[in-house]
Every structure is written in structure tokens, then in C-alpha cells.
Amino acid sequence: MTEMSISEKVAYIKGLAEGLKTDDKLLTAIIDVLGDIAAEIDDVEEVVADMGDQIDAVDEDLASVEELIYDEEDDDCCCCGEDDDECYEVECPACHEVLYLDAEMLEEEGIECPNCGTPLEFDFDGCDDCCCCDCEESSDEEQ
């Protein structure tokens, strides 16, 4: 047996009350209020379903925009591009979110991953101003 909706339950109670053939005004008033509440709940459920559809559409649009933005960033070498600003790609060890940081952000003692809040610290020992791409190697090969 399938579960009845609130509106169906109110209709069932109303049928039972009519079957009693009573002129109890209190019972009639309660059933009327229950009917109004059921109608309001149906309206709210319809609005929530519409909002869910709208949220899904916005989510799809946002995914398309993110794909455009992040694909463009991935296509260009961020540290050898037209901008003089260097940036570095760092992956959070906890959530594996890829973060793009500039030199100023790296000079701080550490940051928190904006996605999961994991503290990230940077150690530059042994780093000889390395680059996130092979641009130095490719320029050496061309000469």
C-alpha cells in the first residue's frame, strides 16, 4: 500500500467525519484548517521543486563558466605569461583542490586551504626559483 499524501489524509478524515453525520462545528472547523494546511504544503512543495530545478540550471551554468575559466588558466603557463606577476600551482594534500598562489601569498608563513581549511605551509629549501612549466628548458633547447 502506498503512503497517502497529506491532502489525501485530510480528505479521508473529512470523509470519516461526514460518515458520522454529526453537526459538530468544531470537528468541521478543524478539518477545514487541515485542508488549508495541506493546500499550503502542496504549494510550498511545488515552489521547492521549481527552486531545485533553477538551482540545477545555475549549477550547470556555473560548471560551464568554471570550465572556461580554469581551462584558460591551464592552457597558459601562469608564470611565463604576458603578465609579470608570477603564480604557482599548489595542490592541497587533504582535499586535492588546486590553488593558484602569487609570490606574495607564498611569502606568508602559511595559508589555509579555502576549500577544506587545512593549514598549508611552504618550504623553499632546495628550490632554485623553479618554474611551474618547462619554459627554461625549452628556451635552452631552442638555442
Side-chain angles (χ1 to χ4, degrees), residues 26-78:
L26 177 62
L27 184 59
T28 303
I30 291 171
I31 292 171
D32 289 343
V33 169
L34 288 175
D36 294 343
I37 292 170
E40 286 289 325
I41 290 174
D42 288 342
D43 292 345
V44 168
E45 287 176 344
E46 186 176 318
V47 169
V48 167
D50 289 344
M51 289 177 70
D53 293 342
Q54 290 175 353
I55 288 171
D56 289 342
V58 168
D59 186 46
E60 289 174 13
D61 292 344
L62 179 60
S64 298
V65 170
E66 286 175 339
E67 185 176 318
L68 286 172
I69 290 172
Y70 292 124
D71 279 352
E72 286 178 10
E73 286 181 7
D74 291 343
D75 290 344
D76 298 329
C77 173
C78 61

Side-chain angles (χ1 to χ4, degrees), residues 6-7 13 22 28 38 41-42 57 64-65 75 84-85 87 93 102 113-115:
I6 294 174
S7 297
I13 292 171
T22 180
T28 303
I41 290 174
D42 288 342
S64 298
V65 170
D75 290 344
D84 289 337
D85 298 332
C87 72
D102 61 18
C113 174
N115 190 44

